[in-house]
Amino acid sequence: MQAAIHTRYGAPSVLTVADVPTPAPRAGELRLKVAASAVTQGDAWIRGGDFPGVGWLPGRLMMGLFKPKQRVPGTTFSGTVEAVGPGVQAFAVGDRVFGLAEHGAHAERLVVKADAPMARLPQGLSLQDAAVLPYGALTALHFLTQIGRVQAGERVLVVGAAGEVGRAAVQLAQHLGAVVTGVCRPSQFAEVRALGAAHVIDRDGPPLARRGARYDIIFDTAGVCGFCDVRRALAPRGRFMTLHLGVGVLVQMALTKLFGRRRALFGLALGSAAQVAELAGLWAAGAVRPRVAHRLPLTAIAEAHARRAARGLTGSVLVTP
């Protein structure tokens, strides 16, 4: 079978496509015929070995200190169950599924555990849209409901509202009953409003602390601000959430837990089968809709990574075997 491979860290050009052995499912595993896979920010970090903030060393220890431990990248997928290993009862040959893999999704075939973060496609969801749904939407869902615990009527500001996580955060926060403000470029205002934002503001305008508005949750999905930058824009019991862990975030998390009512928060959205199933239900309810900006063949995997890094990308980059 064909698969994307990389044997060293670096720019998109380190990715090539080659023939590799077709994997066989073992006990408790499934083999999928991959229909599509997204190129996510997480995939870009793994390809470059360039994990942000204090995550650099843990990321390298997990993924390979000097070179990738796993040659075949790719962490989101959609596809059809092609074979099942002994003991698998939850899925059968022919089932259409989508979800998250630890690696290996940028290939024609993928083996995953039967209890992986994965669910059947709801009726009407295309395999291509399903492949781009988990990364941003699962992260946004986890942060909004488990970390920030957003409530109906609260004011939520999403920084990076046109990005993968930001787009999902705007949609899901609005679905949960929040009044959403999106921070993005003026060229993206109309699209972010269409996602459900009641208000939009220019990312290059005055700092949030000087604008006068107050928010119950400020969710920085772009890694461009810190707690001290936005503290004055938080309501008395406001929560600041960020996807990017650094020393400053760790310090602010500790201090705000001990002192004051405003909080700095961070967490890991690892995903589970239950959360993917919940996400399928949210899609069926119309609460979240993915957007594919570029579709490329697997043979153009290096170009797909380059497009993922392009300035002003609105939507996801998809590769198909």
Side-chain angles (χ1 to χ4, degrees):
M1 70 171 192
Q2 282 201 317
I5 62 170
H6 64 148
T7 57
R8 58 190 175 94
Y9 295 123
S13 58
V14 302
L15 292 161
T16 59
V17 175
D19 288 320
V20 300
T22 300
R26 296 175 294 184
E29 294 181 337
L30 313 170
R31 186 175 72 219
L32 310 176
K33 182 179 181 182
V34 177
S37 177
V39 176
T40 69
Q41 179 60 62
D43 295 325
W45 287 334
I46 293 170
R47 182 255 304 154
D50 187 18
F51 305 96
V54 297
W56 186 91
L57 183 57
R60 283 291 186 107
L61 290 173
M62 184 181 300
M63 299 300 172
L65 190 58
F66 300 110
K67 64 180 182 180
K69 290 181 181 178
Q70 304 294 339
R71 297 200 312 156
V72 182
T75 51
T76 75
F77 64 84
S78 67
T80 303
V81 177
E82 187 177 67
V84 297
V88 174
Q89 297 181 343
F91 297 95
V93 172
D95 285 347
R96 303 200 318 161
V97 297
F98 74 109
L100 295 171
E102 294 181 0
H103 58 84
H106 293 160
E108 292 181 320
R109 300 292 189 277
L110 169 67
V111 165
V112 293
K113 294 180 179 179
D115 61 355
M118 175 176 61
R120 292 179 180 85
L121 269 69
Q123 186 175 2
L125 178 60
S126 72
L127 284 164
Q128 293 200 347
D129 281 350
V132 304
L133 187 58
Y135 177 75
L138 278 179
T139 300
L141 180 65
H142 181 77
F143 269 79
L144 290 171
T145 61
Q146 303 302 311
I147 298 177
R149 300 187 183 279
V150 63
Q151 301 296 312
E154 287 193 314
R155 296 154 295 174
V156 174
L157 180 136
V158 179
V159 181
E164 284 174 305
V165 178
R167 289 174 58 85
V170 169
Q171 295 175 80
L172 291 171
Q174 190 271 340
H175 175 73
L176 293 168
V179 179
V180 183
T181 297
V183 181
C184 55
R185 295 185 175 90
S187 62
Q188 299 164 329
F189 280 2
E191 183 169 3
V192 172
R193 284 194 184 98
L195 293 173
H199 312 284
V200 289
I201 58 179
D202 187 352
R203 57 169 285 176
D204 296 321
L208 291 173
R210 289 167 45 192
R211 292 177 185 263
R214 296 293 180 266
Y215 303 95
D216 299 291
I217 290 179
I218 295 177
F219 186 13
D220 176 22
T221 70
V224 296
C225 56
F227 177 78
C228 293
D229 301 321
V230 303
R231 183 181 180 279
R232 292 184 180 179
L234 286 170
R237 294 187 179 276
R239 291 88 78 196
F240 168 72
M241 305 188 301
T242 179
L243 300 180
H244 298 79
L245 183 62
V247 174
V249 174
L250 289 172
V251 172
Q252 293 298 336
M253 286 174 62
L255 291 176
T256 60
K257 186 174 183 178
L258 295 172
F259 307 106
R261 294 180 294 174
R262 298 178 177 92
R263 295 289 307 277
L265 301 170
F266 172 82
L268 293 175
L270 300 177
S272 66
Q275 287 178 318
V276 178
E278 181 181 2
L279 186 58
L282 287 166
W283 181 91
V288 61
R289 288 288 184 267
R291 183 179 188 275
V292 177
H294 301 290
R295 293 178 173 86
L296 294 98
L298 179 62
T299 51
I301 185 65
E303 182 184 350
H305 271 249
R307 292 197 185 188
R308 173 64 187 76
R311 178 182 173 89
L313 177 70
T314 302
S316 301
V317 178
L318 191 76
V319 292
T320 57

